[in-house]
Amino acid sequence: MFLRSVVGKLWFTILLLVSFVLTILTFLLLGFFENFHVSEAEKDLMQTATKVSVMVEQYENDELMFDTAKRVKDPSSKVVILFDDQDYWISDSDNNDLPDVTIDWLLQQNDLLSVLESNKEVKKQKNIPNGSDNVMIVGTPVVDGGAVFVYQSLDVVEETTSQTTRIILLAAGIAIVLTTVFAFFLSTRITSPLIKMREAAFELARGEFNTKVPMLTHDEIGELAMAFNRMGRQLKYHINALSQEKEQLYSILSSMVDGVITLNRQAEVIVSNPPAKNFLENWYYEHNHPRKTDDSIPNVLETMLEEVIELEQETSKEVFIQGRTWVIIMSPLYDKTHVRGAVAVIRDMTEERRLDQLREDFIANVSHELRTPISMLQGYSEAIVDDIAASKEEKNELASIIYEESLRMGRLVNELLDLARMKSGHIQLNQDHVQLGLYLERIVRKFKGLAKEKNIELKLDVDQNLKMVTFDPDRIEQVLTNLIDNAINHTNENGNVTIKVEAEQDIIQFSIMDTGTGIPQEDLPFVFERFYKADKSRKRQKKKGTGLGLEIAKNIVEAHHGSISVQSKHGEGTTFTFKLPKNGEDE
């Protein structure tokens, strides 16, 4: 319909507004002019009455006075001169319908006769006997006594008012016609570019990004057309950029060794790569469960998705399919603050699990086998003590070597057992409130002598806002002791070792920084593995260790729900960083 279009709405709005304003203005003007005409008529009659009253006071000749009064008055009005109760004079009028007043009627009008008593002018509208219409009558007193009244029919005023009304209504009608033409012209002038923009928008929706809107004016509509054309160019640019990013993302996902599946909240597959599809095929083959649709997922993924959406945190699970071990790590995908789905990374961990099993077996075997050598070493030391060796020097040297080796092997066994307990989840934490400053100063004090021997400057930098914290002091001391000892042992003379502790919201961050030899880049990913040594050719004669300290430290930190990491540049230094919850809670 016409009124549903922008042209119709704009035209109708302008016409309605102008009509409303003209209607109010017409009523106001009609009221104003009606009062104005009545006021002017009263003013003219009063001027006539005043002139006649002056003549009555000045003229002694009645005939001359009456003749002059006829000349002074309006032809459509009449003049009444009241000398006393019995003497009065009424003039003639060109208006034959205007009745004459009688002395009896006049003497009955107390409101008119008040002019004799108060000597003030009066203005009234009366209905004279034998007259069909009301008349307007005014009166003014005469100084020597009596009064002068002038009256005329209200038809004269109403005729003037009706003429004014016709003129006002004609002007309003002309204004409405002109407004209609102007509003229609203005509406079509404004909406014509908008219609072209609508057509151009449909072209953009169909993918025609080269569509342009002509700029016919330099006003706001012209600026809108310019902005629309700029939007089209930007839209084309962003669409091309999104297409390139989509192709790049598809290439990255296709080239990944790990499987990636993106799911929405309805457990529908949004994105997947070939390794993920291979995993799904193996899973369905393993469970003899044919896929109903291409977007259906295994039950294990549905369960993990429900857990991720409910808890809003990462979850992982390990499954065994077709003789291979798969680890599924699923993380939530956020739409600002709302979880809109999840992304699952599926990794084939068969080889890693095999290596882990070998290492576990190795630890168990080493722990078992080392007990006999330790017993033998202790037996030799007893034999030496029993003077079996030839000389005292030989006894002491042999005893010292055997004793040191026995301690090293005993330490190895103890650490292996501790590590096995941690691995099985049997680690026991005795968390307590700790004054962090005093606690760290006591630990650092133990290494002052060792640092001084190597001429190494040992620094402690603790955030002053950290007072009381909660963790297992013995276990964390074990971590700090291991890291500080490693830092000093691998730092050359005149070097620096800094222990820095700072707060990050609800997390405490410990950093042990040294200026030592550093760790090669290829060895960084494996420093926390048991028995792994970065310098495999090094004979640990001076720097004795079991190769288990960093893994033990990692297990202790993770038992506190924290994390540990390392950064290093070969030849420049190493920084070990571990983070703990400030109040002993999860991060």
Side-chain angles (χ1 to χ4, degrees):
M1 294 178 62
F2 175 74
L3 291 179
R4 291 184 179 179
S5 64
V6 177
V7 176
K9 291 179 180 178
L10 187 59
W11 170 80
F12 182 75
T13 301
I14 295 176
L15 184 60
L16 183 63
L17 178 62
V18 173
S19 301
F20 178 74
V21 173
L22 288 177
T23 302
I24 295 178
L25 186 61
T26 299
F27 281 112
L28 293 177
L29 287 176
L30 290 177
F32 169 77
F33 279 111
E34 183 178 359
N35 295 329
F36 176 77
H37 291 316
V38 171
S39 177
E40 288 295 317
E42 290 178 349
K43 183 178 180 181
D44 291 341
L45 293 178
M46 185 59 68
Q47 288 178 352
T48 302
T50 303
K51 291 178 182 180
V52 173
S53 66
V54 172
M55 289 187 296
V56 171
E57 295 172 0
Q58 295 179 354
Y59 293 175
E60 296 180 357
N61 189 340
D62 293 342
E63 294 295 332
L64 179 60
M65 178 180 60
F66 296 152
D67 183 64
T68 305
K70 292 179 181 179
R71 295 177 183 276
V72 170
K73 75 176 185 64
D74 187 89
S76 61
S77 63
K78 286 187 177 183
V79 176
V80 178
I81 302 175
L82 181 65
F83 296 102
D84 53 34
D85 295 345
Q86 301 297 328
D87 187 8
Y88 69 97
W89 175 81
I90 302 175
S91 66
D92 298 330
S93 173
D94 293 343
N95 187 359
N96 296 324
D97 296 330
L98 186 65
D100 294 332
V101 297
T102 62
I103 189 62
D104 296 333
W105 178 87
L106 188 60
L107 294 176
Q108 294 175 0
Q109 307 302 316
N110 295 327
D111 52 351
L112 294 177
L113 295 178
S114 63
V115 69
L116 299 174
E117 300 175 359
S118 61
N119 290 327
K120 293 183 179 180
E121 299 173 348
V122 294
K123 301 175 183 178
K124 301 292 180 179
Q125 292 184 8
K126 294 289 185 177
N127 187 4
I128 299 177
N130 301 324
S132 59
D133 298 323
N134 289 344
V135 298
M136 179 184 298
I137 183 169
V138 299
T140 183
V142 179
V143 176
D144 294 336
V148 177
F149 298 96
V150 181
Y151 67 96
Q152 69 175 14
S153 176
L154 286 175
D155 292 341
V156 178
V157 178
E158 292 177 355
E159 182 179 358
T160 305
T161 303
S162 63
Q163 292 178 357
T164 305
T165 301
R166 286 193 295 271
I167 294 174
I168 292 175
L169 293 177
L170 178 62
I174 295 174
I176 291 176
V177 173
L178 293 178
T179 300
T180 302
V181 177
F182 171 75
F184 187 79
F185 172 76
L186 179 63
S187 301
T188 53
R189 181 75 174 176
I190 292 175
T191 56
S192 178
L194 297 179
I195 294 174
K196 294 181 180 179
M197 290 182 193
R198 182 190 63 180
E199 296 173 353
F202 288 148
E203 294 293 329
L204 286 178
R206 288 191 291 266
E208 298 293 334
F209 299 110
N210 293 323
T211 304
K212 291 186 179 180
V213 177
M215 291 181 291
L216 303 177
T217 59
H218 297 284
D219 53 7
E220 289 83 355
I221 297 179
E223 294 178 356
L224 179 60
M226 183 186 301
F228 185 89
N229 294 333
R230 186 180 303 163
M231 179 192 69
R233 293 193 299 269
Q234 291 293 325
L235 187 60
K236 180 180 180 181
Y237 170 78
H238 290 302
I239 291 295
N240 292 335
L242 288 174
S243 299
Q244 293 177 0
E245 290 183 2
K246 185 177 180 180
E247 293 176 358
Q248 184 178 3
L249 178 61
Y250 181 77
S251 300
I252 293 173
L253 291 176
S254 300
S255 61
M256 288 181 61
V257 177
D258 297 334
V260 178
I261 300 178
T262 303
L263 306 171
N264 59 15
R265 293 180 67 93
Q266 289 72 37
E268 297 174 347
V269 178
I270 306 300
V271 178
S272 63
N273 62 347
K277 294 178 181 179
N278 183 41
F279 166 79
L280 294 177
E281 292 175 0
N282 291 334
W283 192 91
Y284 283 107
Y285 181 81
E286 176 81 14
H287 293 81
N288 296 321
H289 182 69
R291 300 181 65 179
K292 296 180 180 180
T293 63
D294 292 337
D295 295 333
S296 61
I297 62 173
N299 296 332
V300 61
L301 292 181
E302 291 184 2
T303 304
M304 295 180 67
L305 177 62
E306 293 175 358
E307 183 178 351
V308 167
I309 294 175
E310 181 180 357
L311 301 179
E312 295 188 4
Q313 64 182 14
E314 181 183 289
T315 183
S316 61
K317 194 167 187 179
E318 188 171 315
V319 295
F320 187 77
I321 300 174
Q322 292 292 295
R324 306 194 67 83
T325 302
W326 302 84
V327 173
I328 305 174
I329 303 174
M330 187 173 290
S331 303
L333 286 178
Y334 289 95
D335 184 5
K336 293 183 179 178
T337 58
H338 177 69
V339 177
R340 61 181 179 88
V343 57
V345 178
I346 305 171
R347 180 171 299 172
D348 187 354
M349 299 292 291
T350 305
E351 187 64 22
E352 286 80 357
R353 291 293 179 266
R354 187 183 67 84
L355 295 176
D356 286 343
Q357 187 62 41
L358 291 176
R359 290 180 180 178
E360 294 289 343
D361 294 342
F362 173 74
I363 293 173
N365 293 333
V366 168
S367 300
H368 177 72
E369 295 296 335
L370 283 182
R371 293 183 183 273
T372 301
I374 291 173
S375 300
M376 294 177 64
L377 289 175
Q378 291 175 348
Y380 282 126
S381 63
E382 292 177 357
I384 294 174
V385 172
D386 292 338
D387 293 331
I388 297 177
S391 63
K392 185 176 181 180
E393 290 77 9
E394 292 176 352
K395 289 181 181 179
N396 292 336
E397 183 179 358
L398 221 58
S400 177
I401 295 173
I402 293 173
Y403 185 67
E404 289 179 0
E405 289 300 318
S406 65
L407 291 178
R408 189 180 70 82
M409 291 182 183
R411 187 168 59 252
L412 174 60
V413 171
N414 291 330
E415 291 181 355
L416 286 172
L417 293 175
D418 288 341
L419 199 56
R421 282 195 296 269
M422 293 178 185
K423 193 69 176 179
S424 61
H426 294 157
I427 183 173
Q428 182 70 29
L429 295 180
N430 298 316
Q431 298 199 14
D432 195 3
H433 297 295
V434 178
Q435 287 187 344
L436 190 61
L438 299 176
Y439 174 79
L440 293 173
E441 288 177 1
R442 179 178 60 80
I443 295 175
V444 172
R445 196 180 303 118
K446 295 191 303 182
F447 292 94
K448 288 290 186 180
L450 180 61
K452 187 175 181 181
E453 290 179 2
K454 298 190 64 176
N455 197 20
I456 294 174
E457 184 178 0
L458 188 59
K459 301 177 182 178
L460 177 61
D461 183 6
V462 182
D463 190 344
Q464 297 301 320
N465 295 324
L466 286 172
K467 302 297 184 182
M468 297 295 295
V469 294
T470 303
F471 51 71
D472 187 334
D474 294 333
R475 292 292 187 177
I476 297 303
E477 181 176 354
Q478 185 178 355
V479 175
L480 290 171
T481 300
N482 184 277
L483 296 178
I484 297 173
D485 183 64
N486 285 346
I488 294 176
N489 289 334
H490 292 87
T491 301
N492 297 325
E493 292 186 0
N494 300 319
N496 295 320
V497 174
T498 303
I499 299 95
K500 185 176 182 180
V501 184
E502 54 190 347
E504 294 182 358
Q505 295 181 353
D506 295 332
I507 296 172
I508 313 170
Q509 177 173 298
F510 297 80
S511 300
I512 291 84
M513 300 170 283
D514 63 62
T515 58
T517 56
I519 302 173
Q521 296 294 322
E522 62 272 14
D523 293 325
L524 276 177
F526 311 104
V527 295
F528 293 105
E529 294 186 6
R530 66 191 67 176
F531 299 117
Y532 191 87
K533 297 183 176 67
D535 187 1
K536 302 172 183 60
S537 64
R538 181 174 59 198
K539 295 180 180 179
R540 302 175 63 90
Q541 295 176 352
K542 295 182 179 180
K543 303 172 183 178
K544 298 180 180 180
T546 61
L548 299 174
L550 290 179
E551 186 175 7
I552 293 175
K554 179 181 178 182
N555 280 274
I556 293 174
V557 171
E558 290 179 350
H560 283 79
H561 305 289
S563 61
I564 187 169
S565 61
V566 59
Q567 292 177 322
S568 180
K569 287 186 178 180
H570 192 54
E572 296 184 11
T574 304
T575 299
F576 279 90
T577 303
F578 66 94
K579 300 178 181 180
L580 300 177
K582 187 180 296 184
N583 296 320
E585 301 175 353
D586 292 348
E587 293 186 42

